[in-house]
Amino acid sequence: MTYSHARQVESLNQSLSEISSDINVSFEFFPPNSPAMETTLWNSIERLAPLKPSFVSVTYGAGSGTRDRTHDVIKRIQKETALLAAPHLTCIDAGREELVQIAKDYWESGVRHIVALRGDLPDSSEKPSMYAADLVELLKSVADFDISVAAYPEGHPEAPNPQFDLLNLKRKVDAGASRAISQFFFDIESYLRFRDRCVSVGIDVEIIPGILPVTNYNTLKRFAGLTNVHVPSWMPKMYEGLEDDETTRRLVGANIAMEQVKVLQKEGVKDFHFYTLNRAELTYAICHTLGIRPK
């Protein structure tokens, strides 16, 4: 390590320690589909709750069964914790009247924050009747929800070009979204360039970076291929030879995520959204490094 590089690392850590009190975090969970996964989920929520996140989101897949599990998790979080719970809601498998009823039910249940998404198409050849911007508009017509939407620093896989995708995000914001949460990424420059482009087209909400601590590189590689996420050339080398060593993989994943948040913090980012995969350990360690401790 050169003297210059050493000073840069010291500067990052010093800057982080000085403004950690200004950093906000949020966490994403998914509804369990087995008793063992349910235990893991609630252990993770219990572990992370003392960090006082801005909110916790719960994902949602196609089909009413998944939606019901999401709603059950949301209601239990509201009942048993002091956390602000935000369900994901998609519009590809429900008509407008059903979505209005779901929104009313959420509002009457005390839910005030929703993550509004189009959702994955069951058949890629079908053209959806509604998009996320339409869902945001519909939710705002029901009640004054606080709405988060998705952003794609490296472009949505279905977008014909980056500008099209950027303008689509602007439509969601113009419809009433309060913030955007980014797809996970590892190329920090892509996020920073995307943030600048958002400003250039008049998007004035926070673009919260989505942070994914990676514990299984092979799984990540498959998922990144589906979601148009660039995996830097240095990343596979970090996991090389660790196929049967989960403990070391987790340490490597935590280190990569910590370096991400350090650099992003230095660039003025104050809000981070962690994709926890229903496991608390790595997210808790990263938050500790950020200076976020149990209140």
Side-chain angles (χ1 to χ4, degrees):
M1 179 184 291
T2 66
Y3 176 75
S4 175
H5 187 204
R7 290 298 299 272
Q8 289 173 359
V9 172
E10 181 181 0
S11 176
L12 279 173
N13 288 327
Q14 180 63 31
S15 179
L16 188 64
S17 68
E18 288 173 351
I19 73 158
S20 59
S21 61
D22 296 330
I23 290 176
N24 302 304
V25 296
S26 54
F27 307 130
E28 179 180 291
F29 303 103
F30 62 85
N33 57 14
S34 72
M37 291 179 66
E38 184 167 1
T39 298
T40 299
L41 167 65
W42 292 106
N43 286 343
S44 295
I45 290 175
E46 183 178 354
R47 172 70 163 153
L48 293 172
L51 300 182
K52 304 295 184 184
S54 301
F55 63 92
V56 297
S57 66
V58 181
T59 65
Y60 158 90
S64 59
T66 308
R67 183 170 63 230
D68 290 344
R69 290 201 300 271
T70 298
H71 201 169
D72 289 344
V73 173
I74 290 290
K75 287 190 291 186
R76 184 172 168 186
I77 290 174
Q78 287 184 303
K79 182 179 179 180
E80 299 182 10
T81 77
L83 298 171
L84 175 63
H88 286 210
L89 183 61
T90 67
C91 55
I92 60 164
D93 65 336
R96 295 186 68 88
E97 290 184 7
E98 184 179 2
L99 288 167
V100 167
Q101 189 57 52
I102 292 169
K104 288 181 177 178
D105 288 345
Y106 272 135
W107 188 266
E108 290 168 3
S109 299
V111 172
R112 297 294 181 264
H113 185 175
I114 289 181
V115 181
L117 310 163
R118 187 203 68 182
D120 296 328
L121 296 173
D123 181 351
S124 59
S125 65
E126 287 187 21
K127 184 177 180 180
S129 58
M130 288 183 66
Y131 291 88
D134 302 311
L135 179 56
V136 173
E137 186 176 359
L138 180 146
L139 290 170
K140 282 293 190 180
S141 73
V142 172
D144 189 22
F145 285 104
D146 182 16
I147 301 175
S148 297
V149 294
Y152 300 86
E154 296 168 290
H156 191 283
E158 298 173 28
N161 56 67
Q163 189 67 10
F164 179 94
D165 193 38
L166 188 66
L167 294 177
N168 186 53
L169 175 58
K170 189 173 190 307
R171 282 191 288 272
K172 291 186 279 189
V173 173
D174 290 345
S178 305
R179 71 191 58 77
I181 302 170
S182 88
Q183 172 70 278
F184 70 90
F185 60 90
F186 304 101
D187 183 347
I188 292 177
E189 284 297 320
S190 70
Y191 166 82
L192 295 175
R193 288 194 299 268
F194 179 74
R195 189 177 64 170
D196 291 343
R197 291 175 57 233
C198 286
V199 173
S200 72
V201 298
I203 295 173
D204 59 357
V205 300
E206 193 73 26
I207 310 297
I208 301 176
I211 304 297
L212 176 65
V214 176
T215 58
N216 189 315
Y217 176 74
N218 289 327
T219 300
L220 165 71
K221 187 166 59 173
R222 290 194 298 271
F223 192 44
L226 296 172
T227 53
N228 197 41
V229 171
H230 170 63
V231 178
S233 59
W234 53 263
M235 207 165 175
K237 297 177 183 178
M238 299 284 282
Y239 291 92
E240 198 172 70
L242 300 178
E243 292 79 8
D244 300 318
D245 187 348
E246 181 181 0
T247 299
T248 305
R249 288 202 313 266
R250 295 174 72 81
L251 292 171
V252 170
N255 182 68
I256 291 173
M258 287 176 185
E259 291 302 313
Q260 272 189 288
V261 297
K262 284 181 182 180
V263 174
L264 289 167
Q265 172 271 323
K266 186 69 173 177
E267 293 292 336
V269 176
K270 300 294 181 70
D271 297 90
F272 297 89
H273 186 72
F274 290 94
Y275 298 110
T276 71
L277 303 183
N278 285 11
R279 296 188 177 276
E281 298 88 350
L282 295 189
T283 299
Y284 192 95
I286 296 164
C287 288
H288 182 88
T289 301
L290 280 168
I292 298 167
R293 312 289 166 84
K295 303 293 192 297

